[in-house]
């Protein structure tokens, strides 16, 4: 078997139909995994599955709002009837721009419900299955905002700090159950998520903002979704069997070289 193979493995990827999640779904399927995409957006979810199947991969789409506890439990139970759950990638996430004064209570709740409770919901539903089958791997998509101060990202930073510390907690509690849990902390990655918040928050200054955000990475550009997906592949493969409870910045030098 070649290195980084996911043959015979089954992977749940939330928000797996756009940006980083779509790149993870695509690359995991190329490496042999049966990919289960839990995605809010029906159109893009169906399309992502069709693209994977057209290139010979195995994939299913489940319309899902990760913030809905009952729905997540039902979908993961349905998947577990016919598959092991070897890998869970908690990737679904939403953005919010604002400091504490211009973050309304509803903004905080919305970001919490998807970025924090959504991660909890999926881990909660998956852990018993992983324990019963003898192990598994969990990846949480955190951010550089989990560990450094980023202007105007109050609610988002709160949520990504929680993604980081939930990673440590789960890694510790289930190390004896052969479950590895790590997180990935990207700097800016060029996805619809970034295009969306630039368009919403900086109207008529899109090109200027895109350029400014590219330059905040010392490497001079944003990351590509595939670059994040390749790290996720490594961390979910058996080659990473000694890695748990660790945060992996992938940031073009953002954290260590911006001084
Ligand atoms: N793009 C970046 O610069 C960047 C940087 C650091 C971290 N991240 C994180 O990476 C993850 C993916 O980001 P992206 O840029 O690919 O975003 P994206 O917006 O391109 O994709 C996110 C996907 O999640 C889905 N989604 C949103 N809410 C959902 C919900 N409640 N239930 C199910 N699915 C839902 C969306 O429909 C979309 O398909 C997010 O957690 C984000 O916070 C992104």
């Amino acid at each position: 078997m070649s290195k980084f193979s996911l043959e015979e493995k089954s992977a749940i990827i939330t928000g797996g139909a756009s940006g980083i999640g779509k790149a993870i779904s695509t690359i995991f399927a190329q490496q042999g995994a049966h990919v289960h995409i839990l995605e809010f957006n029906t159109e893009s979810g169906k399309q992502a599955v069709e693209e994977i199947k057209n290139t010979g991969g195995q994939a299913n789409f489940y319309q899902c709002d990760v913030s809905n506890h009952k729905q997540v439990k039902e979908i993961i139970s349905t998947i577990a009837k016919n598959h092991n759950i070897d890998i869970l990638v908690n990737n679904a996430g939403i953005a919010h721009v604002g400091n504490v004064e211009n973050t309304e209570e509803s903004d905080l709740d919305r970001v919490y419900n998807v970025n924090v409770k959504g991660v909890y919901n999926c881990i909660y539903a998956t852990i018993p299955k992983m324990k019963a089958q003898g192990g598994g791997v969990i990846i949480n998509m955190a951010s550089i905002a989990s560990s450094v101060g980023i202007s105007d990202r109050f609610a988002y930073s709160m949520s990504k700090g929680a993604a980081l510390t939930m990673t440590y907690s789960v890694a510790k509690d289930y190390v004896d159950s052969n479950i590895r849990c790590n997180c990935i902390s990207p700097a800016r990655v060029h996805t619809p998520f970034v295009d969306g918040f630039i368009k919403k928050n900086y109207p008529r200054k899109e090109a200027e903002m895109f350029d400014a955000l590219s330059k905040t990475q010392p490497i001079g550009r944003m990351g590509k979704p595939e670059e994040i997906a390749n790290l996720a592949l490594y961390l979910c493969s058996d080659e990473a069997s000694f890695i748990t409870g660790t945060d992996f910045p992938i940031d073009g030098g953002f954290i260590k070289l911006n001084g």
Side-chain angles (χ1 to χ4, degrees):
M1 216 184 253
S2 60
K3 278 196 185 288
F4 315 117
S5 168
L6 300 181
E7 292 289 343
E8 312 287 321
K9 294 192 199 272
S10 201
I12 292 178
I13 298 155
T14 69
S18 172
I20 295 169
K22 186 172 183 186
I24 293 174
S25 303
T26 306
I27 288 175
F28 279 25
Q30 282 165 1
Q31 292 304 106
H34 189 131
V35 167
H36 303 274
I37 295 178
L38 270 56
E39 167 59 57
F40 190 68
N41 185 318
T42 302
E43 202 181 318
S44 59
K46 284 184 176 165
Q47 196 187 324
V49 162
E50 200 177 301
E51 286 173 25
I52 289 171
K53 286 185 170 166
N54 285 343
T55 49
Q58 305 174 83
N60 293 90
F61 161 63
Y62 305 82
Q63 201 283 329
C64 177
D65 177 352
V66 292
S67 69
N68 183 328
H69 189 75
K70 188 164 170 275
Q71 191 186 38
V72 167
K73 265 174 67 179
E74 284 168 2
I75 291 172
I76 292 183
S77 285
T78 303
I79 296 170
K81 279 187 188 139
N82 296 313
H83 304 269
N84 274 353
I85 301 174
D86 302 292
I87 297 166
L88 166 66
V89 181
N90 282 307
N91 164 80
I94 56 172
H96 181 259
V97 174
N99 61 23
V100 67
E101 291 169 281
N102 45 41
T103 300
E104 298 301 324
E105 187 185 6
S106 57
D107 298 324
L108 191 82
D109 288 346
R110 193 164 33 85
V111 172
Y112 168 83
N113 280 329
V114 178
N115 295 9
V116 183
K117 194 175 162 200
V119 173
Y120 152 76
N121 284 341
C122 294
I123 295 177
Y124 179 89
T126 300
I127 285 277
K129 321 281 180 205
M130 287 185 168
K131 278 170 78 179
Q133 77 200 16
V137 189
I138 299 172
I139 298 288
N140 296 322
M141 204 52 70
S143 163
I144 49 167
S146 302
S147 48
V148 293
I150 309 282
S151 315
D152 286 328
R153 296 290 185 280
F154 176 76
Y156 185 73
S157 300
M158 169 278 295
S159 73
K160 292 301 179 180
L164 172 72
T165 50
M166 282 190 282
T167 301
Y168 295 149
S169 168
V170 169
K172 180 83 175 169
D173 285 340
Y174 298 98
V175 68
D176 293 335
S177 304
N178 196 30
I179 297 171
R180 300 190 292 110
C181 182
N182 294 293
C183 61
I184 295 178
S185 286
R188 292 213 172 75
V189 181
H190 188 205
T191 68
F193 178 95
V194 169
D195 290 337
F197 83 66
I198 291 180
K199 197 168 165 204
K200 180 167 171 234
N201 296 289
Y202 308 98
R204 292 180 304 282
K205 287 190 178 166
E206 283 97 340
E208 204 180 307
M209 267 323 285
F210 187 88
D211 197 42
L213 292 180
S214 298
K215 288 187 180 136
T216 56
Q217 283 71 230
I219 226 164
R221 64 171 174 87
M222 295 191 195
K224 299 174 193 160
E226 296 71 27
E227 292 171 321
I228 314 305
N230 287 332
L231 176 57
L233 170 63
Y234 169 61
L235 292 173
C236 291
S237 71
D238 292 341
E239 278 69 22
S241 50
F242 198 50
I243 302 180
T244 192
T246 303
D247 174 37
F248 286 81
I250 172 163
D251 66 356
F254 188 96
I255 291 177
K256 297 288 186 188
L257 309 184
N258 258 337

